[in-house]
Amino acid sequence: MPIRAILAAILVAACWGGNFTASRFALDEFSPYLMLLIRFAGVALVLAPFAWHHPIPRFRDMAMISLFLIVIQFSFVFSAMNMGLSITSVVVATQLGVPFACVLAAILFKDYLGPWRSGGLMVAFLGVLIVAGTPNASEHWGAFVLAVLGSFGWSVANVHLKRLKPTPHVVPLLFWPALISLVPLALLSLIFESGQMASLDAAHWTGWAGVAYSLFFSSLLGYGLWNRLIVTYPMSAVVPYSLLVPVVGIAGGVITMGDPLTLQVVLGTLLTIVGVGVISVRRPQLIEMEQ
């Protein structure tokens, strides 16, 4: 890829990796469902003027992506973080999305795994198990499992995306799932959360900044650039740059939140990244979704 495309891929990884820290600041002010409701209401509002210029996708397809990517994945991951799981543990747990997607594709589409991807799966799962044994993950075991389940939701959304007709237009894939998610997110917030208006009135600027970062840098800029790269260049050339996401995410947790960077964390993270890297390089048709 030309240097401009490489820099764009690195920028995407930085945007997505930084979103873990931004979301941590947002969760200090807002409950998880409320935070997601604000974020995706903003995405839908910003993209609404442009969405009507593109053909409307099938509702069932957009509803599936909305359910598994937003309502399940994001809700589970950020609920886990809100329950006390550290950014480092969350970042590593979410890396299981690629191995899960690989397994699902093998089951549903008879996609041959082969020795390389099978080995990558085992290495990635081993890395996550090592991180699961760290003090923070052990103390918040339920939250860690929730984050892993969130990564499974990401994989289901991606496998469904694989079945859709490829499109160069990113706006419909961002707008419609965001719009559809607003009703279930609002209902979940009303049922399981309280004090929404009070938190909106009392929110510090750091919380609003965290939501704004997620909206503009993670959803709009990150996924917009990534889609352009995927359409323009071979996925085998683009996908490996996503391995920078956990590096940036963990660095943000260490620097801003003081997450401990122990030998166990480093070893588990490296094994997970290596395993996911093998799967990504050996299986370039995997579609990446936003973080």
Side-chain angles (χ1 to χ4, degrees):
M1 295 194 302
I3 186 64
R4 183 174 61 180
I6 292 174
L7 292 176
I10 294 174
L11 177 60
V12 171
C15 288
W16 285 349
N19 188 53
F20 291 99
T21 299
S23 297
R24 176 66 270 170
F25 281 113
L27 288 170
D28 287 339
E29 307 294 331
F30 308 109
S31 51
Y33 293 124
L34 178 61
M35 180 194 75
L36 290 171
L37 181 62
I38 298 170
R39 172 181 173 178
F40 287 102
V43 170
L45 184 63
V46 170
L47 294 179
F50 310 100
W52 309 110
H53 298 291
H54 302 284
I56 299 177
R58 287 198 310 172
F59 176 81
R60 185 178 66 179
D61 293 331
M62 297 299 100
M64 282 286 292
I65 295 171
S66 178
L67 172 63
F68 286 99
L69 182 68
I70 299 176
V71 179
I72 293 180
Q73 186 229 350
F74 284 135
S75 294
F76 283 11
V77 168
F78 294 129
S79 292
M81 192 180 294
N82 194 55
M83 291 165 64
L85 196 63
S86 68
I87 291 177
T88 297
S89 298
V90 168
V91 169
V92 175
T94 56
Q95 296 311 299
L96 284 180
V98 172
F100 280 145
C102 193
V103 172
L104 286 175
I107 296 172
L108 298 176
F109 306 126
K110 310 300 181 184
D111 192 8
Y112 177 64
L113 288 174
W116 277 99
R117 283 185 285 167
S118 298
L121 284 169
M122 290 187 288
V123 171
F125 282 114
L126 175 61
V128 172
L129 285 176
I130 291 175
V131 174
T134 58
N136 177 262
S138 299
E139 293 170 7
H140 303 88
W141 180 245
F144 190 83
V145 172
L146 200 62
V148 171
L149 291 175
S151 71
F152 183 77
W154 179 95
S155 67
V156 173
N158 276 264
V159 169
H160 188 73
L161 267 175
K162 181 184 176 183
R163 305 178 66 177
L164 303 183
K165 182 179 179 180
T167 173
H169 303 298
V170 67
V171 171
L173 292 178
L174 281 174
F175 172 75
W176 292 107
L179 183 65
I180 293 170
S181 73
L182 299 184
V183 171
L185 287 175
L187 289 175
L188 288 169
S189 181
L190 288 173
I191 294 171
F192 295 106
E193 298 172 345
S194 60
Q196 291 90 336
M197 294 306 299
S199 63
L200 289 172
D201 290 337
H204 194 260
W205 71 268
T206 53
W208 289 110
V211 174
Y213 180 101
S214 295
L215 196 168
F216 289 104
F217 289 97
S218 182
S219 291
L220 299 178
L221 178 61
Y223 189 44
L225 283 176
W226 189 259
N227 184 78
R228 177 65 61 183
L229 291 169
I230 292 297
V231 170
T232 307
Y233 304 101
M235 291 198 71
S236 57
V238 179
V239 166
Y241 288 94
S242 66
L243 298 177
L244 293 173
V245 174
V247 176
V248 176
I250 291 174
V254 172
I255 295 172
T256 62
M257 302 297 166
D259 288 357
L261 195 61
T262 63
L263 180 60
Q264 185 176 359
V265 169
V266 172
L267 177 60
T269 302
L270 287 177
L271 287 175
T272 304
I273 292 174
V274 169
V276 172
V278 171
I279 297 168
S280 299
V281 172
R282 300 296 296 187
R283 193 181 193 284
Q285 64 266 39
L286 273 178
I287 301 173
E288 293 288 331
M289 284 296 291
E290 59 180 321
Q291 302 298 310

